[in-house]
Amino acid sequence: MTEQEFIDSIKELGIEPTDKQLYQLSKFYELLIEWNQKINLTRITDKKEVYLKHFYDSLTISKELDLNKINTLCDVGTGAGFPGIVLKIFYPDLKITLIDSLLKRVKYLNEIIKELNLKEIKAIHTRAEDYKETFDIVTARAVANIEKLLTYTMHLVKKDGKLIAMKGNIDEEITEDVRKRIDKKYKLIKINKFYLPKEESHRSLVIIGKKGL
């Protein structure tokens, strides 16, 4: 995905990028590649692939959510900063907390935040299950299987908030039995299945809320 293809594709998601945002994203790519030589952040380094599989993919959450109307978001197991850093670039009013269990990655994330001059975003070195704050939206991209992920994250979700798990093909992972087990404790609101443009690989947004709403 070229930069122009990226621009055209996110416009279809309802995102009109500014020159500043596109510059920040380009700078983010440069820093990602630079840091990837020091610590293992991603095996995807080709620019066109990064724009598709990391940058565009991070923004697909907007298929289900108007992030302009959300106050707080927590990105669990953010790794190289996906989707959290990308969301902060394109939704600058969103208050974001990035959680990662590896200190080296947190140091990298804080450097990205500083270099891109991002405000109201912080990277925390902790395990999600040990963190106590609550958020409107909690997201996790390719972190763990859905049942395990729920044990890590649902205490972070506000009473009327949602977990949005960003995954690939989840047909084998979320069987009918798994759905029933999830619905005993939580509320499986929706699964949005779609394909990435260009290569057409499977993607899914699994949206889960708390009971009693």
Side-chain angles (χ1 to χ4, degrees):
M1 175 178 275
T2 65
E3 186 177 16
Q4 187 56 53
E5 287 170 335
F6 170 81
I7 292 167
D8 294 340
S9 296
I10 67 170
K11 283 182 178 179
E12 291 179 13
L13 297 175
I15 300 168
E16 291 285 342
T18 65
D19 289 343
K20 178 184 176 182
Q21 289 165 343
L22 294 172
Y23 169 77
Q24 287 176 312
L25 201 65
S26 177
K27 182 71 174 175
F28 183 20
Y29 172 74
E30 292 173 9
L31 292 166
L32 172 68
I33 299 307
E34 180 185 323
W35 275 81
N36 202 50
Q37 295 170 3
K38 306 174 198 174
I39 60 174
N40 183 28
L41 294 167
T42 178
R43 59 178 178 77
I44 298 169
T45 55
D46 177 78
K47 189 170 185 177
K48 288 182 180 179
E49 288 212 350
V50 170
Y51 268 76
L52 174 63
K53 295 179 181 178
H54 285 327
F55 294 168
Y56 175 83
D57 190 44
S58 292
L59 291 168
T60 58
I61 193 172
S62 61
K63 286 177 175 284
E64 285 298 324
L65 194 64
D66 183 354
L67 289 166
N68 292 302
K69 297 180 179 178
I70 302 299
N71 186 35
T72 59
L73 179 144
C74 180
D75 180 12
V76 170
T78 186
F82 307 119
I85 294 286
V86 181
L87 295 178
K88 184 63 190 178
I89 289 171
F90 287 93
Y91 297 93
D93 293 334
L94 194 58
K95 296 180 180 70
I96 295 182
T97 298
L98 309 173
I99 290 180
D100 201 272
S101 60
L102 192 65
L103 183 58
K104 287 189 292 186
R105 283 200 293 259
V106 171
K107 288 179 177 177
Y108 146 81
L109 291 164
N110 281 319
E111 190 63 27
I112 297 293
I113 290 167
K114 178 183 172 184
E115 289 285 337
L116 300 185
N117 196 28
L118 302 174
K119 307 299 181 187
E120 294 196 289
I121 178 171
K122 58 187 176 182
I124 305 292
H125 175 228
T126 187
R127 299 186 309 165
E129 52 266 46
D130 296 331
Y131 200 61
K132 304 302 181 188
E133 199 174 337
T134 57
F135 302 87
D136 300 317
I137 297 294
V138 175
T139 188
R141 182 175 176 261
V143 170
N145 78 62
I146 194 68
E147 289 185 280
K148 190 176 289 186
L149 183 63
L150 289 170
T151 66
Y152 296 162
T153 58
M154 288 306 288
H155 69 286
L156 300 171
V157 179
K158 286 184 177 178
K159 186 178 178 182
D160 57 349
K162 295 182 183 72
L163 167 70
I164 302 185
M166 305 178 75
K167 290 181 163 286
N169 188 343
I170 43 77
D171 288 343
E172 291 184 11
E173 183 178 334
I174 303 186
T175 62
E176 199 56 42
D177 285 344
V178 170
R179 281 176 178 263
K180 288 177 182 176
R181 288 199 295 270
I182 291 172
D183 275 328
K184 278 184 179 179
K185 194 169 183 181
Y186 306 108
K187 184 178 180 183
L188 180 51
I189 299 168
K190 185 177 182 181
I191 300 176
N192 183 343
K193 300 178 185 178
F194 57 96
Y195 296 94
L196 281 187
K198 305 291 288 179
E199 65 165 29
E200 302 213 331
S201 54
H202 290 267
R203 290 294 185 270
S204 308
L205 298 174
V206 183
I207 304 162
I208 297 173
K210 294 194 170 181
K211 286 279 194 182
L213 298 175

